Amino acid sequence: MSVTINAHQLGRLIDKTINHMGSEYVEPLHGIRLDADAKYLYTVASDRYTLAAARYELNHGDKNQEPWARTIPAEYLRSLREWIQSMKGAGLITISTAKDRLIFEGPRTDLSIAVTTGLEFPDWRGLLRSMVETTVEGDLFPCLNSGYLSRFNTGDILRVRFTADQKPAVVFSEDFIGALMPARFAGVYPCKEETFESAHKSWLWTLAAGSTDASLDGAAYEEERPLYDVTTDIRETGETLLQQALQSGWDMHGKSKEKPDEFLAHCLAAVNGWMAFRYLDALHNVDPRAAQAVVAEVADELDSGEIGEFAWDAATKAGFDPQKWHDDYEAHKQKLAEKEAAEAAATA
């Protein structure tokens, strides 16, 4: 029984769940559960107050693969994470099970971890399923322990579903699902105000001094950005590239005959926007952190306004001859100018 995953994605799965491990006094929960089925590889962790599961879709799609699961003990996670970081993000790791071992085979080195096969891990699928399928009850005013919220801070945007005051909150993000138990479950009295009405009432004196139409959407609160501000956010970058591809495609219509130069410019912008998005999307799927680092680095380069210098240096470093490109381009422009001059003289 084995699965294959690239190094970065395995590290990402561990990072998304490691903050949710149980303590050393609860052995079955003191680690990260590695769980594989016919479609996904999961990492799962819980300390009974939070529950987190991250997944990676396997490429082989072997519908006949027998599901398996092993718990990686907490004391081995640091060495495993360091071993993963020692290789390139795109390097493939094959994970297989042995008698009492988990074996990680990398491009250059292997790692073997002792596991206890008899440890019973909670039915995390069943727990999350029951939470997700719970119907929403009444007016919600959930009570949560803020100390546990930070465990979900992995840089992702989370969607939250509340079902009832004394039921877990379920969170979703890309390839991630988790749950946060209500504070009462932790044995802590939720808060002084048990209902929304009583909490609202306790703040009436303060809030009454505010207007009923206050907003942060006014012009006074708008960010004073320059005309072209390069974003360092990877999602915004992807959105900008897709907008460029679509808008340039729309602008091509009706310009082929009237203004061929504009048509060509829009065509190139559409093609380059789509190519850049596809390359960024592929990099993000392989190594999201590398993709984010590239987006931030490119944003700095664009802000500097020295794109020509950067492109020239990159071409030289890659073994190309940018000076020849420049000379050929100048010769091409000269040839076009001579052609236009000859056509103008002929029609004069």
Side-chain angles (χ1 to χ4, degrees):
M1 296 185 292
S2 65
V3 296
T4 300
I5 182 174
N6 73 51
H8 179 78
Q9 292 291 353
L10 179 58
R12 192 164 178 247
L13 290 179
I14 292 173
D15 292 345
K16 282 178 173 287
T17 51
I18 196 168
N19 290 334
H20 302 268
M21 287 191 309
S23 75
E24 59 187 296
Y25 303 108
V26 186
E27 186 181 2
L29 301 181
H30 191 49
I32 290 180
R33 188 72 162 178
L34 205 60
D35 195 321
D37 59 25
K39 189 172 183 180
Y40 295 102
L41 175 66
Y42 308 86
T43 52
V44 190
S46 176
D47 61 357
R48 295 179 298 168
Y49 303 119
T50 64
L51 171 61
R55 71 183 182 186
Y56 171 78
E57 187 170 2
L58 300 171
N59 292 326
H60 58 70
D62 184 3
K63 303 300 181 182
N64 297 318
Q65 176 178 280
E66 182 180 349
W68 59 268
R70 299 287 189 277
T71 299
I72 305 172
E75 58 264 33
Y76 299 131
L77 285 170
R78 180 176 179 180
S79 58
L80 173 60
R81 197 66 185 87
E82 291 176 348
W83 179 76
I84 294 170
Q85 289 176 330
S86 69
M87 62 188 72
K88 293 182 179 180
L92 295 179
I93 296 175
T94 298
I95 309 171
S96 57
T97 59
K99 194 171 184 180
D100 58 352
R101 293 281 191 276
L102 265 176
I103 301 172
F104 298 83
E105 298 177 64
R108 296 184 178 179
T109 60
D110 300 340
L111 182 66
S112 178
I113 292 178
V115 296
T116 303
T117 57
L119 285 179
E120 291 188 10
F121 197 81
D123 179 8
W124 60 273
R125 291 178 176 85
L127 289 170
L128 289 169
R129 178 179 179 177
S130 64
M131 296 172 191
V132 171
E133 294 179 354
T134 299
T135 56
V136 177
E137 302 175 3
D139 296 328
L140 302 184
F141 190 46
C143 183
L144 303 174
N145 187 324
S146 61
Y148 298 142
L149 292 173
S150 62
R151 301 183 185 184
F152 295 92
N153 182 17
T154 59
D156 294 330
I157 302 298
L158 297 177
R159 300 298 298 266
V160 183
R161 184 176 190 265
F162 296 105
T163 55
D165 288 356
Q166 296 304 317
K167 296 292 183 180
V170 184
V171 300
F172 296 86
S173 70
E174 183 180 4
D175 287 324
F176 179 86
I177 184 172
L180 174 59
M181 309 307 164
R184 185 183 293 275
F185 280 23
V188 180
Y189 189 72
C191 56
K192 180 179 179 182
E193 312 298 346
E194 292 225 42
T195 66
F196 173 74
E197 288 75 16
S198 60
H200 185 201
K201 184 178 180 181
S202 70
W203 281 86
L204 278 177
W205 188 89
T206 301
L207 301 181
S211 65
T212 58
D213 59 350
S215 173
L216 287 174
D217 296 332
Y221 307 110
E222 292 181 0
E223 295 182 80
E224 296 183 2
R225 295 191 178 190
L227 182 62
Y228 181 69
D229 186 19
V230 185
T231 178
T232 59
D233 181 79
I234 192 168
R235 183 173 177 81
E236 289 183 11
T237 301
E239 180 184 15
T240 300
L241 293 172
L242 287 174
Q243 284 181 334
Q244 175 185 318
L246 290 171
Q247 290 173 359
S248 296
W250 297 330
D251 287 336
M252 281 191 295
H253 297 294
K255 298 241 171 112
S256 58
K257 295 181 180 179
E258 301 173 6
K259 299 179 180 179
D261 290 341
E262 288 190 21
F263 172 80
L264 179 60
H266 289 305
C267 182
L268 289 174
V271 170
N272 290 335
W274 178 244
M275 289 173 62
F277 172 78
R278 291 288 286 117
Y279 297 152
L280 179 62
D281 185 55
L283 177 58
H284 182 262
N285 287 331
V286 172
D287 193 336
R289 291 179 182 174
Q292 180 60 66
V294 169
V295 166
E297 185 176 342
V298 171
D300 289 338
E301 293 171 348
L302 293 176
D303 281 335
S304 74
E306 300 174 353
I307 304 174
E309 289 83 349
F310 291 131
W312 187 285
D313 292 343
T316 302
K317 185 177 180 181
F320 301 117
D321 187 354
Q323 184 62 54
K324 184 178 183 302
W325 294 347
H326 175 267
D327 295 342
D328 290 345
Y329 181 60
E330 290 298 325
H332 174 69
K333 289 197 301 181
Q334 179 65 29
K335 188 175 180 179
L336 288 178
E338 292 173 355
K339 181 180 178 182
E340 290 176 359
E343 291 176 349
T347 57

